[in-house]
Amino acid sequence: QCGKTFRMKGYSRGLWRQYALRTLAFDPWLRERTAEPWGKHAWVTDNFELWKRVVSQTEDAAAIWDEATTHGGDDDGNISLLTEIRHRHPVLIAAGHSHSSLMRGMRVNLTHLDLALSDDIDAMLWARTMKDPELKRASDAALLPKYAFMRKRPYAPVTVVRDSAERVRAGLLP
């Protein structure tokens, strides 16, 4: 309940507004979420197998993989899917609940990480993956409210991002 999906919808809107980049989103809770639509620029499904086929057969979209924790994010059998996405689409946004939610091939190729509340072990693993011990220290010190995340980009310091709901709805850029 930290706002991951809401934030991904904000990225989707921002990428559309800034670059006219359409979204191909997997949202397993699509039928249960009615408050915040993805938008007309987004093709969204709650069928993971269908989403995999579509992102593997199209190009030049923002591929958004919600709930990677329970839908193949840690499955090394999806390495070919990850490779397809990396070669066909300029953006992949994946959401999970922990370091282990994403396969190693995803974790080591991140262009940025938005980390919500995290336990000590998970923060330590992300700090190691992102090669920045400050991420662990920032996690220890941060009591993040809803919609706040620690952002880490390679070779850049950790920052805390607190976007208002209005700002997220207007659109964010990863």
Side-chain angles (χ1 to χ4, degrees):
Q1 301 302 326
C2 61
K4 291 183 309 297
T5 301
F6 182 61
R7 188 165 195 79
M8 288 188 298
K9 290 176 181 180
Y11 285 143
S12 174
R13 283 187 212 93
L15 290 165
W16 174 251
R17 288 191 176 126
Q18 184 72 28
Y19 304 110
L21 195 62
R22 70 191 191 287
T23 294
L24 305 173
F26 169 66
D27 180 353
W29 307 107
L30 179 64
R31 295 168 207 247
E32 296 179 29
R33 293 184 178 142
T34 57
E36 195 68 40
W38 280 89
K40 293 180 181 179
H41 64 282
W43 176 86
V44 187
T45 183
D46 58 359
N47 181 319
F48 187 59
E49 294 303 317
L50 175 60
W51 179 78
K52 288 182 353 181
R53 280 194 309 275
V54 169
V55 297
S56 295
Q57 297 171 359
T58 58
E59 294 182 352
D60 299 321
I64 296 183
W65 187 345
D66 195 2
E67 291 299 336
T69 303
T70 55
H71 291 88
D74 64 345
D75 181 357
D76 285 340
N78 282 323
I79 287 188
S80 61
L81 172 64
L82 176 62
T83 302
E84 286 278 343
I85 293 170
R86 285 180 48 225
H87 287 277
R88 293 178 175 274
H89 302 287
V91 175
L92 167 62
I93 299 172
H97 291 274
S98 68
H99 186 269
S100 63
S101 298
L102 303 177
M103 67 184 108
R104 184 178 185 284
M106 279 181 157
R107 293 190 307 256
V108 299
N109 285 293
L110 292 174
T111 57
H112 81 274
L113 170 69
D114 284 352
L115 184 63
L117 287 173
S118 182
D119 67 31
D120 289 346
I121 294 170
D122 213 48
M124 179 188 66
L125 292 169
W126 279 118
R128 195 167 122 201
T129 298
M130 299 301 282
K131 296 173 182 35
D132 187 347
E134 183 60 30
L135 186 59
K136 170 69 171 90
R137 287 189 291 278
S139 176
D140 289 343
L143 295 173
L144 298 172
K146 193 170 188 172
Y147 306 132
F149 296 82
M150 284 179 289
R151 169 158 291 168
K152 175 63 184 132
R153 294 176 188 258
Y155 312 108
V158 176
T159 58
V160 175
V161 179
R162 291 181 179 97
D163 293 310
S164 67
E166 293 76 28
R167 169 100 174 85
V168 175
R169 283 189 186 98
L172 303 171
L173 291 175

